């Protein structure tokens, strides 16, 4: 008699097997339809299979699977998006602003210089891709199943948009066998131009029918980003989104990339094999000449592409060379985005206003007759400063050429004067007001500066509003729901005069504002309470210190460990921080020497704003403080990164190029042109042992 196995898995029921079969069939047909554009069955047959699966899942919810095609229709609306910490940061790529062929040449020259290649060495092989005008997304698969989708956010933390991404037919919910147990695929969510026009046409019809809350969209990118960040996935499912994959994040071992790939092109081909759409216009290029040819070829066909791009991307193809080149700050040395010349249009200047920024900077802004430029309708364009406005001689009533500089900030390029238009018939020459247009305080221009600045500080409501918005933004302390209109009301009503007043807000004050319901007021109070726990880098960035961005704030926090140490540091001490030069150091020092700024910090602390603090990155003497080193060649025992870490830990800085400001060049075997440059400039040259003696204070 056979003894039954009490621990054996129960046999699958016929209905369960049928559900598995239907899911496999529907995944296959969706890939054929959405990715390969080669459907194998009519839509009616697909719908029949889909409805059969829906019925079975409704009858047997215990067998529901998160990778089922039925889950694409969307789930329950969300109150807000959860935050997602990226396992591998989604770093930005450096933008080459030179839109001519010399931009590709400059990138290739930098790569060859970093790799210390000589003119006779072979060309570097690159992969050239399109730079999509969409929204970057990270797709996380575990055991082959999509478990999470997140936006790029600030590069380290994004938003969980899994429900919305699941509605996209181009994104596989389950991957074939053989993929890594953990796989993060990165790419761009975008909207095709024809889908965008069809969407706007539907929106116009809804508006004409009197449906409230509907609007048309400005451009495909905004429409795509809005769909991805739609709190109701059922609405997101109605938006026609597309996707292209272009890279990976974490892959099984917690590191970017995968040892199975020798090249970036091999990675792209494998992603395509696994079921991800990869753009067809991707190619390898040998050296600068082929990069230039690719840039020109794509530029010629740019308007014929079914989707918007704003440039191309070059990446070193070899993964080994990518790892050797590494990163500078938050950007890879092995990749660059090469933009195209911004689109330009002509329009009329209706007026010139002066805006006041959060740092008090006064910026003249041309008010324009609406014109469609670079995918958006432009009504304002910056004139930068008084000198620039006078150099271009922009006056009210002029016809001007408008360009979206970098495809982001509209600017006036030049004035177009008809031959028959006399000087006497033009408006007056622009002059910057000597008083702040918002608060009436004196506007002054510092020596050597191009800009005028309001001296009113937090007394100036324009600076107050912008300072609060900057402090409350997601990349700073993040007060969710505190937007422009609410801040404007709080400042204009005299409820908020300084940052700490935010944390003294109560339900009564908020509920008394226009269009502020009790629930909304409660949400703001809760968001303020939540924001009290932050980090030192976020707090520093949120203070709005001039010249202190996110990267500098992180470097300061790492170097000093505690805010008081930063506040009390001299300008010389601040310059010991990586990437902090004399101008930035003086700006930080001056900021914290102002009593009212220290008072703001203490008031915020008194209101409960706090963050973890620790010890400085390193203690003890800094024997290399104030010295700049360049490393070239192969050192006997130290790798380049190890040598760099030792130098920086001892207070020194490491540069990639030799100049008159270089203190020492550390040279190893097969040192290249950097050694020649050092000898030419008379820069002292050290070997590894001399460097170590200097670090240990023996010289």
């Amino acid at each position: 008699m056979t003894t039954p196995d009490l621990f054996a898995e129960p046999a699958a029921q016929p209905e369960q097997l049928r559900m598995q079969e239907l899911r496999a069939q529907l995944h296959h047909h969706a890939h054929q339809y959405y990715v390969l554009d080669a459907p194998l069955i009519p839509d009616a047959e697909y719908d029949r299979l889909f409805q059969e699966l829906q019925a079975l899942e409704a009858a047997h919810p215990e067998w529901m699977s998160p990778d089922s095609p039925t889950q694409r229709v969307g789930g329950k609306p969300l109150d807000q998006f959860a935050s997602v910490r990226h396992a591998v940061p989604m770093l930005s790529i450096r933008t080459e602003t030179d839109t001519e062929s010399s931009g590709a040449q400059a990138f290739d020259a930098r790569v060859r210089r970093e790799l210390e290649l000589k003119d006779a060495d072979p060309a570097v092989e690159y992969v050239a891709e399109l730079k999509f005008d969409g929204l970057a997304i990270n797709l996380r698969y575990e055991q082959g199943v999509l478990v999470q989708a997140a936006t790029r956010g600030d590069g380290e933390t994004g938003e969980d948009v899994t429900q919305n991404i699941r509605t996209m037919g181009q994104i596989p919910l389950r991957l074939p066998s053989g993929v890594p147990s953990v796989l993060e695929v990165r790419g761009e969510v975008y909207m095709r131009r024809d889908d965008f026009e069809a969407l706007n046409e539907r929106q116009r019809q809804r508006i004409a029918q009197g449906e409230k809350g509907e609007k048309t969209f400005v451009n495909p990118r905004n429409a795509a980003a809005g769909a991805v960040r739609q709190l109701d996935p059922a609405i997101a499912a109605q938006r026609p989104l597309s996707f292209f994959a272009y890279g990976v994040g974490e892959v099984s071992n917690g590191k970017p990339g995968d040892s199975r790939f020798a090249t970036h092109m091999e990675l792209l081909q494998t992603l395509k094999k696994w079921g991800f759409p990869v753009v067809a216009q991707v190619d390898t290029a040998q050296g600068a000449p082929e990069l230039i040819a690719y840039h020109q070829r794509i530029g010629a066909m740019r308007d014929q592409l079914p989707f918007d791009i704003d440039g191309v991307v070059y990446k070193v193809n070899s993964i080994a060379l990518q790892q050797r080149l590494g990163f500078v700050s938050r950007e890879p040395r092995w990749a660059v985005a090469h933009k195209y010349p911004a689109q330009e249009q002509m329009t009329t200047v209706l007026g010139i206003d002066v805006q006041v920024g959060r740092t008090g900077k006064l910026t003249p802004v041309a008010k324009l007759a609406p014109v469609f430029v670079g995918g958006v309708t432009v009504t304002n364009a910056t004139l930068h400063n008084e000198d620039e406005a006078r150099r271009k001689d922009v006056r009210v009533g002029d016809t001007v050429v408008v360009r979206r500089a970098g495809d982001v900030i509209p600017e006036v390029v030049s004035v177009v004067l008809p031959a028959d238009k006399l000087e006497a018939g033009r408006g007056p020459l622009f002059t910057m007001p000597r008083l702040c247009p918002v608060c009436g305080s004196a506007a002054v221009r510092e020596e050597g500066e191009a800009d005028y600045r309001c001296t009113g500080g937090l007394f100036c409501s324009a600076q107050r509003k912008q300072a609060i918005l900057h402090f409350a933004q997601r990349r700073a302390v993040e007060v969710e729901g505190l937007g422009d209109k609410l801040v404007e009301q709080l400042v204009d009503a005299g409820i908020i005069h300084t940052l700490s007043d935010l944390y003294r807000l109560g339900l009564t004050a908020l509920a008394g504002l226009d269009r502020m319901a009790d629930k909304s007021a409660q949400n703001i109070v809760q968001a303020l309470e939540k924001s009290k726990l932050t980090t030192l880098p976020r707090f520093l960035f949120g203070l709005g210190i001039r010249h202190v961005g996110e990267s500098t704030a992180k470097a300061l926090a790492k170097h000093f460990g505690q805010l008081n140490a930063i506040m009390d540091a001299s300008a010389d001490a601040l310059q010991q921080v990586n990437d902090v030069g004399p101008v930035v150091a003086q700006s930080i020092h001056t900021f914290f020497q102002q009593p009212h700024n220290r008072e703001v910090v203490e008031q915020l602390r008194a209101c409960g704003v706090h963050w973890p603090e620790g010890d400085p990155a390193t203690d003890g003497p800094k024997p290399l403080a104030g010295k700049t080193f360049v490393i070239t060649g192969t050192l006997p025992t130290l790798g380049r990164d190890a040598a760099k870490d030792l130098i920086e830990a001892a207070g020194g800085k490491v540069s990639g190029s030799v100049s008159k400001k270089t203190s020492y060049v550390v040279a190893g075997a097969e040192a290249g042109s950097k050694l020649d440059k050092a000898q030419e400039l008379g820069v002292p040259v050290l070997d590894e042992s001399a460097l170590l003696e200097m670090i240990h204070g023996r010289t």
Side-chain angles (χ1 to χ4, degrees):
M1 178 176 176
T2 304
T3 303
D5 185 354
L6 299 178
F7 299 98
E9 289 287 338
Q13 301 297 311
E15 293 89 350
Q16 188 177 10
L17 292 173
R18 178 57 178 164
M19 290 166 70
Q20 293 170 359
E21 180 184 1
L22 286 169
R23 287 172 187 147
Q25 288 184 35
L26 290 168
H27 282 313
H28 175 67
H29 289 303
H31 179 69
Q32 290 289 135
Y33 182 91
Y34 289 108
V35 179
L36 303 182
D37 197 23
L40 298 177
I41 59 175
D43 289 351
E45 176 62 13
Y46 182 92
D47 292 341
R48 187 191 68 77
L49 296 172
F50 190 90
Q51 289 162 10
E52 181 184 352
L53 178 59
Q54 277 185 316
L56 285 170
E57 289 180 340
H60 300 282
E62 70 275 15
W63 295 334
M64 176 67 73
S65 173
D67 64 323
S68 173
T70 62
Q71 299 306 294
R72 291 195 187 279
V73 298
K76 178 184 176 183
L78 302 173
D79 293 325
Q80 62 183 17
F81 293 112
S83 294
V84 174
R85 183 81 174 180
H86 296 302
V88 176
M90 296 183 72
L91 303 179
S92 57
I93 293 178
R94 179 182 181 275
T95 297
E96 176 55 67
T97 55
D98 179 356
T99 59
E100 302 301 322
S101 60
S102 49
Q105 291 171 329
F107 171 63
D108 180 58
R110 283 197 302 272
V111 169
R112 294 183 67 84
R113 193 162 53 245
E114 290 292 339
L115 294 174
E116 299 185 347
L117 298 177
K118 298 180 174 60
D119 292 343
D121 291 326
V124 176
E125 184 177 75
Y126 301 96
V127 170
E129 309 172 23
L130 304 187
K131 185 178 184 300
F132 309 106
D133 198 11
L135 185 71
I137 290 291
N138 184 74
L139 307 174
R140 184 177 178 87
Y141 292 83
E142 296 178 2
Q143 307 304 326
V145 176
L146 177 67
V147 297
Q148 188 181 75
T151 61
R152 180 183 182 276
D154 64 2
E156 293 185 350
T157 303
E159 293 176 313
D160 189 334
V161 291
T162 310
Q163 286 199 82
N164 293 342
I165 293 302
R166 279 199 177 113
T167 68
M168 295 178 57
Q170 281 192 322
I171 292 179
L173 300 179
R174 174 177 284 279
L175 303 181
S177 60
V179 302
S181 58
V182 173
L183 172 67
E184 290 188 344
V185 176
R186 289 173 175 178
E188 199 90 357
V189 172
Y190 68 98
M191 191 175 289
R192 290 170 54 98
R193 292 194 190 112
D194 54 355
D195 287 334
F196 171 73
E197 293 300 334
L199 172 63
N200 261 354
E201 181 57 31
R202 291 196 297 273
Q203 294 298 104
R204 283 189 284 268
Q205 291 176 5
R206 289 170 178 166
I207 293 170
Q209 293 168 2
E211 292 188 31
K212 294 183 178 180
E214 298 293 344
K215 65 175 184 178
T216 56
F217 298 93
V218 175
N219 57 46
R221 187 200 183 282
N222 286 5
V228 170
R229 301 192 72 254
Q230 173 60 242
L231 290 173
D232 187 348
I235 296 176
Q238 300 171 12
R239 303 282 167 83
L241 298 176
S242 298
F243 176 78
F244 279 130
Y246 54 60
V248 294
E250 182 180 4
V251 182
S252 293
N253 55 7
K255 297 178 181 179
D258 190 332
S259 58
R260 75 184 70 193
F261 305 120
T263 67
H264 182 67
M265 180 60 83
E266 184 183 354
L267 165 64
L268 294 178
Q269 291 169 342
T270 304
L271 289 176
K272 187 175 182 180
K273 183 179 69 174
W274 286 342
F276 294 96
V278 174
V279 69
Q281 294 82 9
V282 59
D283 207 352
T284 55
Q286 305 296 325
E290 292 190 15
L291 290 180
I292 294 168
Y294 181 86
H295 186 259
Q296 293 173 344
R297 183 170 76 252
I298 297 300
M301 62 186 295
R302 181 182 180 189
D303 292 338
Q304 283 71 53
L305 291 171
F307 44 81
D308 288 343
I309 64 170
D310 53 7
V312 296
V313 176
Y314 309 137
K315 298 175 182 176
V316 172
N317 194 20
S318 166
I319 301 297
L321 289 183
Q322 288 185 11
Q323 294 171 348
R324 181 175 161 190
L325 286 162
F327 299 80
V328 54
S329 185
R330 296 184 55 78
E331 299 172 344
R333 289 190 177 93
W334 43 265
V336 74
H338 193 185
K339 293 284 190 93
Y340 289 110
Q343 296 176 354
E344 299 178 348
Q345 293 288 350
M346 290 199 305
T347 187
T348 304
V349 178
L350 304 179
I352 299 178
D353 293 345
V354 175
Q355 294 181 350
V356 184
R358 68 177 179 85
T359 62
K361 176 184 173 182
L362 273 58
T363 302
V365 176
K367 313 299 286 186
L368 307 170
V371 60
F372 198 73
V373 185
V376 300
T377 300
V378 172
T379 56
N380 298 318
T382 181
L383 295 172
H384 298 290
N385 51 57
E386 183 182 66
D387 291 347
E388 190 71 358
R390 290 194 170 209
R391 183 183 69 79
K392 294 175 179 175
D393 195 17
V394 180
R395 308 188 192 188
V396 176
D398 285 348
T399 298
V400 294
V401 175
V402 178
R403 176 175 63 200
R404 289 189 67 210
D407 288 344
V408 177
I409 305 170
E411 67 170 349
V412 173
V413 179
S414 60
V415 174
V416 180
L417 285 179
D420 58 351
K421 187 166 186 176
L422 301 176
E423 184 74 16
R426 300 177 66 201
L429 189 68
F430 173 77
T431 302
M432 185 69 76
R434 296 305 183 260
L435 297 177
C436 172
V438 174
C439 71
S441 298
V444 299
R445 180 176 179 175
E446 298 174 4
E447 185 176 348
E449 289 277 337
D451 301 315
Y452 280 84
R453 295 183 182 276
C454 168
T455 58
L458 286 176
F459 171 73
C460 178
S461 62
Q463 293 181 69
R464 197 179 307 151
K465 292 172 186 175
Q466 292 304 313
I468 293 167
L469 287 169
H470 178 78
F471 182 81
Q473 67 168 289
R474 188 176 64 179
R475 295 180 301 175
V477 300
E478 189 177 9
V479 182
E480 189 169 347
L482 192 67
D484 300 54
K485 293 182 179 179
L486 178 55
V487 168
E488 189 169 342
Q489 285 192 73
L490 290 167
V491 172
D492 290 346
I495 298 172
I496 288 183
H497 298 278
T498 186
L499 295 177
S500 58
D501 288 342
L502 279 172
Y503 295 96
R504 300 186 181 99
L505 286 173
L507 286 174
T508 303
L510 286 166
L513 298 173
D514 292 340
R515 302 177 184 176
M516 179 61 70
D518 290 344
K519 177 62 175 175
S520 299
Q522 182 64 45
N523 288 342
I524 294 295
V525 171
Q526 291 174 351
L528 283 163
E529 187 63 30
K530 181 181 177 182
S531 74
K532 287 182 179 179
L533 176 58
T534 184
T535 66
L536 181 52
R538 283 176 173 266
F539 183 80
L540 279 171
F541 175 64
L543 289 177
I545 306 169
R546 198 169 171 213
H547 302 306
V548 176
E550 293 173 81
S551 179
T552 302
K554 289 179 181 178
L556 287 164
K558 180 179 180 181
H559 184 88
F560 288 99
Q562 300 181 7
L563 180 60
N564 285 351
I566 299 172
M567 294 171 64
D568 295 334
S570 66
D572 288 340
L574 289 165
Q575 285 189 62
Q576 304 310 312
V577 180
N578 286 338
D579 299 325
V580 173
V583 173
V584 179
Q586 189 59 52
S587 177
I588 298 167
H589 180 68
T590 300
F591 180 89
F592 285 120
Q593 288 305 300
Q594 305 302 311
H596 61 269
N597 288 332
R598 284 180 169 260
E599 178 65 17
V600 167
V601 171
E602 293 310 315
Q603 287 294 326
L604 286 169
R605 280 172 155 168
C607 289
V609 180
H610 63 290
W611 51 87
E613 291 193 328
D615 295 326
T618 55
D619 296 318
K622 302 284 187 180
L624 305 188
K627 297 180 176 64
T628 300
F629 294 76
V630 172
I631 305 170
T632 183
T634 303
L635 301 180
T637 64
L638 293 174
R640 186 168 300 221
D641 289 339
K644 179 181 178 182
D645 290 344
L646 285 173
I647 290 170
E648 291 178 344
K653 297 181 181 180
V654 178
S655 174
S657 58
V658 180
S659 70
K660 292 181 179 179
K661 295 182 180 180
T662 304
S663 305
Y664 298 94
V665 167
V666 181
E670 299 179 358
S673 58
K674 293 177 183 177
L675 178 58
D676 297 335
K677 184 72 171 178
Q679 292 169 342
E680 177 186 333
L681 296 176
V683 175
V685 178
L686 305 175
D687 59 13
E688 181 184 294
S689 60
L691 171 65
L692 293 174
E693 288 180 0
M694 184 177 289
I695 289 173
H696 297 309
R698 293 196 290 268
T699 60

